């Protein structure tokens, strides 16, 4: 079982839960007079892919940053329990421009076999042969592939992704969706994905949560076969329900609604 890291503010530590990769209880966050998260509870199971949707300012990135331990400057309380091995991927690749691609992927990775593992990770994302390239020599999609390789090379128990495909064109984004889902199925970390894209959430996640004004207002379990065809009536049902929860379409209540 993975070791766990307790990140606490105003709450007593709780024992690790074997079936939970993430356990959040009573989480509040505010910046000055603005309350962003309001007594949020969330559990993510081992190997579960969860997507978090919400309008701008709903608190979704604040929640992800709190889980990552990066919400410096925010006031609040609550308990966050996460595994020791956590990895992050962001909207921009954040590759260091003075390091070649393989060196970016294995930066900070311990062990004598780090470079071998880095090459294997690059092979998994379709960048075999680009180990010696500089970041500026890669396209935007290739840079995000390298970022995914870097995020998974250390075999994390939890992958946090903050709109990782938001800056890509539509066709590249579709290819990256397929790649991320394939990598997830191969490695099975727990995943928390923050996105504005309803189709992206339904395509990738096993569970989708909608956050509004600091509270969860919708939860959907996504039950679709491999490949997740957007033309499937069930895909369109999930899409319509989530758009309703986001206020884009009239609300459509389902059994899964929280």
């Amino acid at each position: 079982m993975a070791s766990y890291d307790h990140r606490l503010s105003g709450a007593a530590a709780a024992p690790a839960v074997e079936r939970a990769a993430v356990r959040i209880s009573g989480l509040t966050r505010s910046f000055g007079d603005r309350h962003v998260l309001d007594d949020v509870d969330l559990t993510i199971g081992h190997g579960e892919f969860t997507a978090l949707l919400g309008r701008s300012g709903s608190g979704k990135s604040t929640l992800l940053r709190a889980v990552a331990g990066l919400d410096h400057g925010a006031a609040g309380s609550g308990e966050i329990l996460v595994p020791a091995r956590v990895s992050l991927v962001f909207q921009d690749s954040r590759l260091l421009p003075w390091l070649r691609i393989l060196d970016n992927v294995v930066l900070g990775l311990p062990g004598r076999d780090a470079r071998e593992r880095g090459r294997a990770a690059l092979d998994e994302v379709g960048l075999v042969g680009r180990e010696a390239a500089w970041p500026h020599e890669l396209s935007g999609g290739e840079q995000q592939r390298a970022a995914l390789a870097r995020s998974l090379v250390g075999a994390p128990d939890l992958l946090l992704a903050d709109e990782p495909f938001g800056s890509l064109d539509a066709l590249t984004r579709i290819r990256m969706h397929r790649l991320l889902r394939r990598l997830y199925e191969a490695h099975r970390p727990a995943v928390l994905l923050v996105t504005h894209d309803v189709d992206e959430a339904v395509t990738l996640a096993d569970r989708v949560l909608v956050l509004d004004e600091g509270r969860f207002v919708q939860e959907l379990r996504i039950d679709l076969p491999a490949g997740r065809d957007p033309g499937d009536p069930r895909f369109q049902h999930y899409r319509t329900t989530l758009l309703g929860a986001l206020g884009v379409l009239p609300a459509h209540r389902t059994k899964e609604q929280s």
Side-chain angles (χ1 to χ4, degrees):
M1 178 177 166
S3 58
Y4 282 76
D5 171 31
H6 294 276
R7 296 172 185 165
L8 302 172
S9 177
V17 179
E18 288 197 28
R19 301 306 302 169
V22 175
R23 176 65 62 89
I24 299 172
S25 178
L27 185 66
T28 64
R29 287 293 185 271
S30 60
F31 295 89
D33 295 331
R34 180 168 174 258
H35 298 287
V36 181
L37 297 176
D38 184 12
D39 198 26
V40 169
D41 297 328
L42 174 63
T43 299
I44 300 175
H46 287 290
E48 182 180 32
F49 198 131
T50 298
L52 184 58
L53 286 168
R55 290 173 286 189
S56 295
S58 62
K60 56 188 185 302
S61 289
T62 298
L63 176 58
L64 183 138
R65 292 177 68 84
V67 174
L70 298 176
D71 60 339
H72 309 299
S77 61
E79 176 184 275
I80 303 175
L81 179 68
V82 299
R85 294 195 303 272
V86 178
S87 187
L88 295 96
V89 60
F90 298 96
Q91 184 169 341
D92 57 281
S93 67
R94 305 202 178 186
L95 300 175
L96 299 178
W98 56 86
L99 292 181
R100 297 183 187 271
I101 295 304
L102 179 59
D103 295 320
N104 264 285
V105 169
V106 302
L107 183 65
L109 187 67
R112 294 183 178 181
D113 63 343
R115 296 183 73 79
E116 180 181 345
R117 292 162 62 192
R119 291 188 183 94
L122 286 171
D123 189 11
E124 274 196 298
V125 300
L127 289 179
V128 65
R130 305 306 303 274
E131 296 89 347
W134 298 102
H136 74 269
E137 295 176 323
L138 302 186
S139 68
E142 288 173 330
Q143 290 180 23
Q144 283 302 89
R145 286 173 180 266
L148 280 175
R150 180 182 58 193
S151 69
L152 292 171
V153 71
D157 298 301
L158 172 63
L159 175 65
L160 302 173
D162 193 359
E163 300 189 64
F165 311 130
S167 63
L168 303 179
D169 65 83
L171 291 178
T172 302
R173 193 179 305 126
I174 290 170
R175 297 188 188 102
M176 293 300 291
H177 290 167
R178 293 171 181 164
L179 174 62
L180 178 56
R181 187 71 197 185
R182 178 171 60 79
L183 292 171
Y184 160 71
E185 290 172 354
H187 294 275
R188 284 289 169 174
V191 180
L192 179 59
L193 167 73
V194 166
T195 180
H196 281 100
D197 188 334
V198 170
D199 287 357
E200 180 170 273
V202 178
T203 295
L204 290 173
D206 303 313
R207 177 174 59 147
V208 182
L209 300 168
V210 178
L211 193 65
D212 187 40
E213 297 184 352
R215 287 179 172 270
F216 293 123
V217 297
Q218 179 81 54
E219 176 178 0
L220 284 180
R221 294 282 177 179
I222 306 300
D223 182 15
L224 290 171
R228 301 203 176 185
D229 179 8
D232 187 321
R234 291 170 294 177
F235 190 106
Q236 292 303 316
H237 171 75
Y238 293 134
R239 184 177 188 273
T240 300
T241 301
L242 291 168
L243 288 172
L246 290 165
V248 178
L249 295 176
H252 181 67
R253 298 187 65 84
T254 70
K255 293 181 180 179
E256 297 93 338
Q257 188 166 355
S258 61

